Amino acid sequence: MVSEISESFSKTFKQLIRDIKMQKLDGSYNVAVAVVNLFRDLVLHEKWNTAKDLIFLMKTCGKLLAKELPLQTSAENMIRRMLKIVRDEYTTACNEQQEELDIQESLHKIVTSEEEIDDYSKTVAELKESILDHINEFHMELETSIENITKEAIKHIHTSEIILTIGKSAIVESFLKEAARYRKFDVIVCECSPLKYGQDMAISLSNSKISTTLIADSSMFGIMGRVNKVIIGTHTVMANGGLRAISGTHAVALAAKYYSVPVIVLAGLYKLSSQYLHSHEDNFNQFTSPESVLSYSEGVLTSSVHVYNPMFDYVPPELVTLFISNAGGHAPSYVYRLLSEMYHQDDNDL
C-alpha cells in the first residue's frame, strides 16, 4: 500500500493552507475551487495503486486540512466530494467488470453488489482516467454554480417588490443584479454592524441602478412589515438545514418569521456540510477585534469587561423557507437527500 505523500505535493498543500490563513485566498467559492484543483493534482501525480490507497491519501490530507482550517467547511466539503467520486468510480468500474446487470434487477441486489466491493482494494483498469474525468466534470459544475443560481432570480423576484438582505454576499449581489435586468424592485440592506459589510453591498447595488436603502441593524424589525422577501447568503449549510451565516442574520430571520416573510437562502452545493451544530461547538464561530464596539481608548472600562465580536450566527432550519442552489430550489428538509447524493457516509468523519 502506498501511504506517503510526495515532498512537492506536501509543499503545495501547506502553501494552500498558509494562503487561506493569511486570507490571500478568500471566499468559500475560491477555497472550494483551490481544494478541487489540489486534489486533482494528487490523483494525477501521486503514487497509488488502488482506490484504497487513494482514499487513504485523501483522508490523510483531509484530516490535516480540517485541523488547520476548522472554519473553512467548504474545504472539508470538497474533500468529502472527492472521496465520493473515487468511491463511485471504483464501484462503477467493478460493476462493469462483472456480468452485466439486468435492467429489471432489484434495488436490493444492486445495493448488495456494492457492499461486496466496498473494501476498494481491487486493482481496476483505467480507474485514474475515470476519476480525473469525473473531477473535471465536477470542476465545471463548480465554475457554473453561481451562474446557475442567478438564473433563478427572475422566478423569485417580481416587479415592485421590496427585498431585504444583510451584509455583503457575492452570490446575493449577482442574484439581485441579474433580477434587475428584467424587474424594477427596491432593496433594503442592513449594514451588519460593527463590520458594516452592508455599506459596500449598498454602494455596489446602487451603482448598478438598483433602488437601494441602507439601514441600521436596529431598524430591521420596524421595516420588516413592508418587506416581501428576505434574500441572504450563508457561509455554511449544516446537515440539518441550519445556517452558519454572518452575524445579525438570526435577528433578521426571527423578524421575518414574526411578519411571515419568506427567507430565501442562496448557497452553492459546495457550502453543504455533513456536520451538525454540535460537531462545531469548539470551532463554530470566529471572533474579530471588538475595537469598533468598545474603543481601546476606554481603558478603565475595557480593563473591567470582556467584549466579544462574533463573526457568525446560527440560524435554525425552521426559520428558512427555501434554499436555492445550483441544483435548483429545495426546502430545508431536503438537505438530507442532497447529503446522501453528494457524500459517502463513511466520510462524514475525515
Side-chain angles (χ1 to χ4, degrees), residues 157-163 183-186 226-228:
I157 297 178
H158 307 289
T159 302
S160 301
E161 283 190 331
I162 298 176
I163 309 299
R183 308 274 196 267
K184 290 290 185 182
F185 56 91
D186 297 312
R226 298 178 53 204
V227 173
N228 298 107

Side-chain angles (χ1 to χ4, degrees), residues 118-318:
D118 66 2
D119 61 346
Y120 304 101
S121 59
K122 293 181 182 178
T123 300
V124 179
E126 298 183 353
L127 179 61
K128 177 184 285 190
E129 289 75 10
S130 60
I131 291 173
L132 287 172
D133 287 344
H134 198 153
I135 291 177
N136 289 333
E137 289 175 10
F138 178 69
H139 191 275
M140 291 179 62
E141 180 185 324
L142 264 183
E143 290 180 335
T144 59
S145 59
I146 294 178
E147 180 184 348
N148 290 334
I149 292 172
T150 56
K151 285 180 181 178
E152 300 286 320
I154 58 173
K155 298 179 183 177
H156 298 278
I157 297 178
H158 307 289
T159 302
S160 301
E161 283 190 331
I162 298 176
I163 309 299
L164 185 140
T165 189
I166 182 170
K168 182 174 174 63
S169 167
I171 197 165
V172 173
E173 184 180 340
S174 299
F175 192 84
L176 295 174
K177 287 180 179 179
E178 176 66 18
R181 295 174 57 195
Y182 308 97
R183 308 274 196 267
K184 290 290 185 182
F185 56 91
D186 297 312
V187 178
I188 298 172
V189 182
C190 298
E191 68 176 356
C192 196
S193 289
L195 300 175
K196 302 188 187 307
Y197 292 134
Q199 293 183 1
D200 294 335
M201 181 73 155
I203 291 171
S204 177
L205 293 177
S206 61
N207 288 340
S208 297
K209 311 302 181 185
I210 298 174
S211 175
T212 308
T213 304
L214 180 70
I215 64 170
D217 297 338
S218 57
S219 304
M220 69 174 69
F221 189 85
I223 208 167
M224 189 63 75
R226 298 178 53 204
V227 173
N228 298 107
K229 291 183 180 75
V230 172
I231 300 179
I232 56 176
T234 184
H235 183 271
T236 306
V237 179
M238 313 300 284
N240 64 339
L243 309 177
R244 176 202 276 158
I246 195 72
S247 184
T249 306
H250 189 208
V252 170
L254 286 171
K257 183 178 182 180
Y258 182 85
Y259 284 102
S260 299
V261 176
V263 176
I264 299 175
V265 179
L266 309 181
L269 291 178
Y270 56 86
K271 293 187 176 183
L272 181 58
S273 173
S274 62
Q275 303 300 303
Y276 293 85
L277 176 63
H278 66 78
S279 305
H280 294 274
E281 284 181 350
D282 296 330
N283 297 305
F284 178 84
N285 224 322
Q286 180 179 353
F287 296 90
T288 59
S289 170
E291 202 275 337
S292 55
V293 180
L294 184 63
S295 175
Y296 293 125
S297 62
E298 302 286 344
V300 176
L301 184 57
T302 54
S303 64
S304 305
V305 297
H306 293 287
V307 184
Y308 300 98
N309 186 13
M311 284 280 292
F312 301 113
D313 275 350
Y314 173 70
V315 181
E318 55 267 24

